[in-house]
Every structure is written in C-alpha cells, then in structure tokens.
Amino acid sequence: MKILPSALALEAAGVLDSILRKHAPTRLSDGFFDSDHQAIWSELTDGGWQLLALPDQSAGAPLDLVDLSAIAEVWGRYLIPLPYLPTLLVWHWSRAAGDSIEADKLTYSLPLSDPGTEGTAGMSPFAMSGGIKVVATVEEMTTYEPPPPSTDGSPGSGATGDLARTDPWAPSLPLARLPQTTHGLGMQAVHDVAVLGAAELVGCASAVIKITARYTKDRVQFGRPIAEYQAVQHRLADMLRDLELARTAVLWAANDDAKVLSATALAWDRVRRITENSFQLHGGYGFTWEAGLHYYSRHVWAWRELLEACSVKLWPL
Amino acid sequence: MPSETPLPTTADTVIRSFSDPAATEFRHEIRTWLERVLPPDWRKIELSLTEDREIDIRRQWDRTLFEAGYAGLSWPKRFGGGEAGPIKEVIFYEELARAHAPEGFGRVGRVMAGPLIMRFGTEDQQRRFLPAILDGSQVWCLGYSEPSAGSDLAAATTTALRDGDVYRVVGRKIWTSHAHISDRCVLLARTAPERPRHENMSILLLDMHQPGVDLTPLITITGHHHFNEVAFDGAVVSVADRLGPEHEGWNIFRESLAFERGAAVALNHYTEMCRECEVLLQCCALHSPDPGVASSARTLADQVELVRWHILRVTEMEANDLDATEARMVMKLFWSELWQAITDFGSRISCSHHRAFWRYQYLQSRAATIYGGTSEIQRSTIGRRALAVLAPS
C-alpha cells in the first residue's frame, strides 16, 4: 500500500505545474479550440517529461501509479489539449517491453467490448493528432499509425463505415473510434488509464473550485460579494468536500486492483458534482461560452465515455 | 478477566507510513492483545447487559487499557504516555472498533481533559489529575453546551462568580455524556459576565461529587440514557482548580477543538457502517425484487470504504507533517451524511427480519449531523476555509 507520492514525484509535479502555468490562457475559452500547441509540446518533450515514468529518467526508481497520479493531477489543472498523459502512459507500459519507440506523440485504443475479443473497434484519445501513433500491443510495444482522416474529418471512414468517427466535443480529450484488429491492452493497462484519468479529473476539479471561489469574491449582488452569503459558502463547502473525496478515491484506485473501476467511478461522480456546482455559483455568466467553464465539463463527460469503452457498468446513477 | 502488565513490544519509534512493517507489527500486537482480553462472544454478551453490569465492564475496560500500557498511547512521555504518533493511534482505534471493544468512560479524560491539563494546567493540577485520568480511576465529563447555547457556545450563560478563593457556579449544562458516572467536569462558565463575548469565560475543573450539582437524565429518541442535563446551584470550584488564566476560557476551548481525534470517531462509525452494509449486501438488498437495489447497496458500500481510505490519507499526511487541513475538515461532514443515507436506504428496503435493526439505526443516525458540529456549521466553516485558501484577499 502506498499513500503518499514520493518526494521526487511531488517535486516533479511542482516543476511541471510551473511550466504549464506559463502557458495557461487568461481565459479558458481563448484559443484552445484552434491553437497548435506544438511549442508547448516541444518544451515538454525537450525536457523529457513524457519519459518521466521510465527508471533511467527518474534517478533509478520508476514512478508508480500513486506518483504518476500526482503528475496527472497537475496536468488536469490546465488541461492543455495535448496527448501528454497517453504518451506518458505508453512509455510507462514500455518498461515491460524494453523497446524503444520511434514516435513522438503516442496514444492507446481501448477496446469497445470486453478485452480479448478479436476484430472489434477501439476508442482512442487524440488519435486524430498529427503524427501520433497508437500502441497496438503492450507486450510487444508495437505501434501503428491511425487511419488518415477521411473527407468528413473522421479517420479511416471507409471500409469500417460508421465505426470510424471522431468526437472533438472536448478539445482536452478528443475521442476517435478506430478499427481495431488486435487487442493488446489487458486489464492492467485499462486500470492505469482509469487511475490517471481520474487523477487528471481531480486536477480539473481543483482548478474549477479555485476559479469559482474567486468568482464568488468578485461578484457583488445586494451590495456584497456573493461569497458572504451562507448558501454560496455551503455550495463551496460541498465542492471542497467532493474534491478531497475524489482525491482519496484516486488513491484507493491506485492501491486496489480489485476496486479500480468502482473507485474511479466514485472519483468521477464527485468531480461531476463540482463542475455542476461551479455553473450554479457562476450564475448567468457561467452559462456563456466565453466563461469557459464548459471546457472542464466537456472533459468530465468525454472521460466517462472513454471509460465506458471498458464496459464499465458501475457509474452511479 | 485476567489482566497482565506486558509493555508494548513494538519499538518506540514514531511510524510515518501505514505500509511500514512496524505498523503491521503493531496491528498484530493489538489484535493479539484484544483476543486475549476481550470476553469470548463479547458482541452477544454486550446486547444483553444490565446497565449496572455494563458500567462495571466499561470501567474495567479503562483499567485494562491502562494495564496494557495503551491508555496514554499518544500522550507525551513525561506524562506517562507512549508518544505513539498518529499512525499507531489510528491502527489502535481501528482494531478496537473492528473488535467492537467496549468503550470505557475514560475517553473524555484521555482525549480532552488530560490534554487540556497538560497544555494549560499548573504542575499541581497535572500531578493531581493526570495519573488518575490515565489509570481510569477518575472519570471526566464536559460541561459546555447549554439549553440556549449549542452551536453558539459563546452565548453560554452559566456563571461562576468569584468569591474569595472559590467560584460559585449557577446554571445548566446539557448533553453531558456520562455525567452520572463522572468525578470531574471541564466546565466552561462566565466568570466575567460584564465583559464581551469570548472574553468573559473561564474553564473550571469542577468536582461533581458535591452538593449543588443535580443531574437529570436525557432519554434520546432511541430510548437510551447517555446524556444528562446538569443543574448547578451553589456548587463551588476552588481557584486552584481553574484551568489557565481567568477569563481566557473561550480561547482555551477553541484550541481544544483540535484535540478531538476525528479519526477515532470516524473509525467507530466506519465500523458501524460496514456492519450495516453487510446486512444490506448479504440480506436486505439481496432479497429485493428490484435489481437496482443491489447496485445502490454496492455503491453505498464503496462510499464506506472511501471513509477508511480518507482516514488513512489524512493520517499519513499528518504523520509526515503535510498540511491535511481541508481533508480533515470534510471528514465528519462526509461520514455523517453517508451514515444517514445508508440508514435511510436500509429502512426503505428492509427485510422483515431486520426491520427493528434498521429502525434503531435510522433513529440513532439522526444525531450524527448534529453532534460534533452540525452540518450547517461545518459547511459554513469549510466554505469560509475554501475562500481563504483558494481566493485569498
């Protein structure tokens, strides 16, 4: 059992936070939907951030899931629409294979039915990113290029018909359905995706609650900041409670293989509630595109869809 | 019950992680000890005890803890304690809760009165009270809440006016647990009624065995006698039994709120909820014709496990000097409302065999969102903390 991330992981998380903070937009809705972000990606890869999970990159001790959760949480605070966490995970899995991977951006494809079934489709985050490769099997660490986008924007929508669609609804987690002829992702890999995804959601939630707390101090109605009203304070309290519980749920998931999917479902549910409270406390302004709160909510629901690809029927109703 | 005096065998170092082998060793030590000292079939015996017999067993339990060297587990060594640290403490409480060990009467003394006297008391007071608290021979209660002062404790009106070398106490305290067993009371009373709120109270270590202290039992909605109303009319406290400076009682009381081991209380309720979930999953939910019921029961059981993981996280953070303030603050709000969700659910889907069980649990759980800080007060405190930390001015 491991409860606290290592000192090294916490230090790395702090450094990553300062790198990402430089690139955080002033307003959430600025630019995220159209920008290239290649400059950010280059900065990360030049610093070897995608290799953090490998032993020789982290002073001899490979980072485990609890450590990587601390990194994922930082990523979730900023949600830059780049395949950093998928790339990090694929490198994490490559430890077993010991192969070097000739690719820059990497992702995985979760089977859309029970693992072990041949010839079905997969759901893949960021598969439509230029130059990205999809890992086919974890054991051999083989990768392939996803089918090129067809004229309607979805990759490879030819022979596989309407399976091959993209859903860019959440720019921070654009999902593509890919034709998948082999399944190399066992439950362990699925578990890793779930844990880091939930940790990323905790990061989102921490950003959302901070934005919301600040808003309630700025927004004045009836002559006072709305933060002074009990009803508002009580909602903020619920948000803080849910944040801390989501963080605990991620810790649980990282430590208990038998309960990964239900613990991450609990984390998801708490984060979902935080985003809903953020809309309520922002009033009418929160309902505008410009406010950008929906950027986080879109991520929350896209992530649920990715995990439902694992036939997870554990979502609280 | 045979009692021996073995000293704890675990090395005397503060453990900083639940995965430390010393933690596992300590857990094993406690389990082994419990198997030896608890009566066989304790749980069955417990439910059929008379009140007198229950009191005997609970008093004996305080002595058993002391004789095993566990009474002052986290007390400083110079006061006879073990300085065990938060991880060992949580392991200890968890194993006791799991074994459903008796709850003695010494808890208020060990967790509240003792630490108050260690922190604010004179050497004379420490000498007079601490050994008796530790060995269980002296039982303490808390004289805080009043009929008109619950959440707003600063509005308390019980007075303790100075008359030479003593204070004369007049007023009423309520919700006083075990007042009928207690020897002493940590009394919060107004010693300077003319001064403003927060500057007018002192803490007095009152002797309960004197004229002018009258008890009335308070029966709760479950039919049990646990709390009392205590009327003071002419009871006296010597100035030598005042704790800390005169009129500084409110500040002392505020500091003492941090002594309450949220983990111990949370673990007791965690264990209670585990039992309730067992009833749900192995009986009531299992026999429901609605398939959604079993799924809801499993989600509730998962939330209960989250309570335990949360306790572990908070404890290990604090054992490593990390700031776990927010995580600690939300603990009671979470488990108390979860408990009510479980008892509400259980009551709705109860099988005929467990109807009495769920009715009792349902009523009992009503108090959880009220004692130890109401949910409303908790939310205001937590909300203000969120603002202070996330949106500092």
Side-chain angles (χ1 to χ4, degrees):
Chain A
M1 172 170 66
K2 179 167 158 173
I3 294 188
L4 299 179
S6 65
L8 182 71
L10 288 175
E11 196 186 316
V15 175
L16 183 64
D17 185 270
S18 55
I19 293 174
L20 298 177
R21 192 185 314 200
K22 274 190 337 234
H23 298 289
T26 321
R27 285 187 321 176
L28 281 169
S29 50
D30 284 344
F32 270 124
F33 293 90
D34 298 315
S35 301
D36 179 26
H37 308 293
Q38 188 52 44
I40 306 174
W41 185 257
S42 299
E43 187 176 348
L44 289 171
T45 50
D46 288 349
W49 283 96
Q50 78 283 21
L51 305 174
L52 203 59
L54 295 176
D56 55 351
Q57 299 298 321
S58 54
L63 299 188
D64 62 20
L65 263 191
V66 172
D67 299 323
L68 293 178
S69 296
I71 302 295
E73 189 179 321
V74 167
W75 186 262
R77 276 182 215 152
Y78 301 97
L79 276 192
I80 296 170
L82 286 168
Y84 172 66
L85 289 182
T87 305
L88 181 73
L89 261 177
V90 173
W91 279 108
H92 177 60
W93 295 329
S94 77
R95 282 166 27 245
D99 286 335
S100 68
I101 303 169
E102 297 298 325
D104 178 39
K105 290 184 180 137
L106 292 159
T107 187
Y108 49 80
S109 181
L110 290 188
L112 278 170
S113 58
D114 292 331
T117 312
E118 296 290 322
T120 59
M123 181 167 281
S124 174
F126 294 99
M128 70 295 296
S129 291
I132 200 162
K133 288 223 169 107
V134 184
V135 68
T137 66
V138 171
E139 287 75 21
E140 289 123 31
M141 203 43 63
T142 53
T143 61
Y144 67 93
E145 275 180 37
S150 66
T151 47
D152 71 358
S154 55
S157 59
T160 47
D162 61 353
L163 281 179
R165 288 189 197 285
T166 61
D167 183 4
W169 187 71
S172 55
L173 192 62
L175 299 176
R177 290 192 176 201
L178 300 183
Q180 188 147 311
T181 53
T182 59
H183 290 283
L185 288 193
M187 276 319 278
Q188 186 53 58
V190 171
H191 285 182
D192 291 352
V193 168
V195 172
L196 288 210
E200 185 185 26
L201 284 173
V202 170
C204 291
S206 71
V208 164
I209 186 175
K210 195 177 216 178
I211 290 164
T212 307
R214 288 182 178 174
Y215 179 81
T216 63
K217 273 201 161 172
D218 289 339
R219 174 71 176 170
V220 173
Q221 288 288 271
F222 308 108
R224 306 151 102 184
I226 62 171
E228 290 183 17
Y229 297 111
Q230 264 193 354
V232 170
Q233 289 172 10
H234 285 201
R235 266 191 207 264
L236 281 169
D238 284 349
M239 293 169 83
L240 190 55
R241 174 204 62 197
D242 289 342
L243 176 66
E244 292 296 339
L245 293 175
R247 207 168 258 144
T248 297
V250 170
L251 171 72
W252 180 14
N255 275 280
D256 189 350
D257 258 355
K259 298 297 279 184
V260 170
L261 297 178
S262 48
T264 52
L266 282 187
W268 177 88
D269 196 49
R270 295 281 165 184
V271 171
R272 185 231 356 136
R273 287 191 231 188
I274 289 169
T275 60
E276 287 172 9
N277 271 320
S278 77
F279 282 117
Q280 188 64 18
L281 290 178
H282 273 81
Y285 177 61
F287 196 62
T288 64
W289 183 273
E290 164 195 310
L293 283 180
H294 60 108
Y295 187 79
Y296 293 102
S297 293
R298 288 165 182 270
H299 186 93
V300 167
W301 286 94
W303 187 83
R304 173 174 166 146
E305 196 159 325
L306 179 65
L307 262 296
E308 282 202 335
C310 315
S311 301
V312 174
K313 302 287 183 227
L314 295 168
W315 303 99
L317 294 170
Chain B
M1 245 180 297
S3 61
E4 298 173 45
T5 54
L7 292 170
T9 55
T10 315
D12 235 3
T13 48
V14 173
I15 299 170
R16 296 203 184 277
S17 167
F18 283 101
S19 50
D20 190 324
T24 314
E25 210 182 298
F26 182 69
R27 192 183 287 276
H28 179 73
E29 174 190 312
I30 302 301
R31 271 197 201 168
T32 310
W33 168 73
L34 281 169
E35 275 164 30
R36 203 177 66 244
V37 300
L38 281 179
D41 297 328
W42 161 242
R43 182 86 167 117
K44 289 189 189 138
I45 295 172
E46 193 201 4
L47 298 172
S48 59
L49 292 169
T50 61
E51 193 177 336
D52 282 343
R53 185 73 189 113
E54 188 190 322
I55 288 173
D56 281 341
I57 286 180
R58 293 176 74 173
R59 280 193 168 274
Q60 173 60 44
W61 183 252
D62 290 318
R63 281 194 288 279
T64 304
L65 281 178
F66 173 69
E67 284 160 6
Y70 295 134
L73 199 62
S74 39
W75 279 25
K77 285 193 181 141
R78 74 182 191 282
F79 294 120
E83 283 180 12
I87 301 228
K88 264 186 172 172
E89 240 192 282
V90 162
I91 292 172
F92 183 74
Y93 285 128
E94 187 176 8
E95 291 305 313
L96 259 64
R98 201 191 291 267
H100 204 74
E103 206 189 297
F105 293 114
R107 196 174 162 269
V108 168
R110 289 191 302 270
V111 171
M112 197 53 76
L116 273 169
I117 293 165
M118 285 187 271
R119 171 92 173 77
F120 297 102
T122 61
E123 271 183 35
D124 175 60
Q125 289 166 345
Q126 289 167 354
R127 199 173 39 246
R128 281 190 290 130
F129 296 123
L130 294 180
I133 289 173
L134 209 54
D135 74 18
S137 59
Q138 192 176 68
V139 177
W140 285 71
C141 62
L142 298 177
Y144 291 161
S145 298
E146 296 182 1
S148 298
S151 295
D152 185 11
L153 192 56
T157 56
T158 296
T159 54
L161 299 180
R162 182 101 175 232
D163 180 7
D165 286 340
V166 301
Y167 296 94
R168 296 195 182 279
V169 185
V170 176
R172 294 159 82 181
K173 293 292 181 185
I174 200 174
W175 304 125
T176 329
S177 310
H178 312 135
H180 55 304
I181 317 278
S182 297
D183 303 298
R184 286 263 168 180
C185 172
V186 179
L187 180 76
L188 183 67
R190 284 202 191 185
T191 43
E194 72 286 358
R195 288 169 69 158
R197 268 168 84 87
H198 304 158
E199 297 173 24
N200 56 19
M201 294 201 256
S202 302
I203 299 220
L204 306 173
L205 307 175
L206 179 141
D207 184 350
M208 292 289 281
H209 303 300
Q210 61 170 306
V213 180
D214 293 300
L215 273 64
T216 313
L218 286 172
I219 311 297
T220 64
I221 55 175
T222 56
H224 282 76
H225 171 214
H226 172 73
F227 300 115
N228 300 276
E229 188 171 314
V230 186
F232 300 98
D233 187 9
V236 296
V237 182
S238 129
V239 169
D241 284 348
R242 187 190 69 234
L243 186 77
E246 205 172 43
H247 317 319
E248 284 292 301
W250 182 255
N251 293 333
I252 294 172
F253 164 75
R254 288 302 307 272
E255 278 205 46
S256 80
L257 290 176
F259 298 165
E260 176 61 65
R261 288 305 185 183
V265 177
L267 281 165
N268 279 334
H269 287 90
Y270 162 75
T271 313
E272 186 79 13
M273 290 190 280
C274 281
R275 274 194 203 100
E276 288 170 345
C277 287
E278 252 175 53
V279 172
L280 287 176
L281 292 169
Q282 291 172 14
C283 184
C284 306
L286 200 62
H287 296 138
S288 171
D290 179 350
V293 161
S295 162
S296 297
R298 278 193 297 274
T299 303
L300 285 171
D302 284 343
Q303 304 265 22
V304 172
E305 272 316 292
L306 202 58
V307 171
R308 181 173 181 269
W309 281 97
H310 197 70
I311 294 166
L312 296 182
R313 181 164 84 90
V314 169
T315 306
E316 193 157 319
M317 283 178 75
E318 291 176 344
N320 289 277
D321 301 315
L322 295 170
D323 184 6
T325 307
E326 288 87 58
R328 179 174 276 287
M329 283 172 98
V330 304
M331 198 153 37
K332 196 246 174 188
L333 186 65
F334 175 49
W335 66 250
S336 60
E337 293 185 347
L338 175 62
W339 189 23
Q340 288 180 346
I342 293 170
T343 60
D344 177 70
F345 180 75
S347 301
R348 286 165 196 270
I349 60 128
S350 176
C351 66
S352 51
H353 174 66
H354 283 112
R355 191 153 289 135
F357 170 80
W358 285 114
R359 283 175 174 169
Y360 179 85
Q361 297 299 105
Y362 176 82
L363 288 179
Q364 185 76 340
S365 64
R366 293 301 102 204
T369 47
I370 297 167
Y371 57 64
T374 65
S375 291
E376 285 68 28
I377 295 288
Q378 299 263 348
R379 283 191 161 88
S380 291
T381 309
I382 295 165
R384 286 197 296 268
R385 172 78 187 181
L387 288 163
V389 169
L390 302 171
S393 304

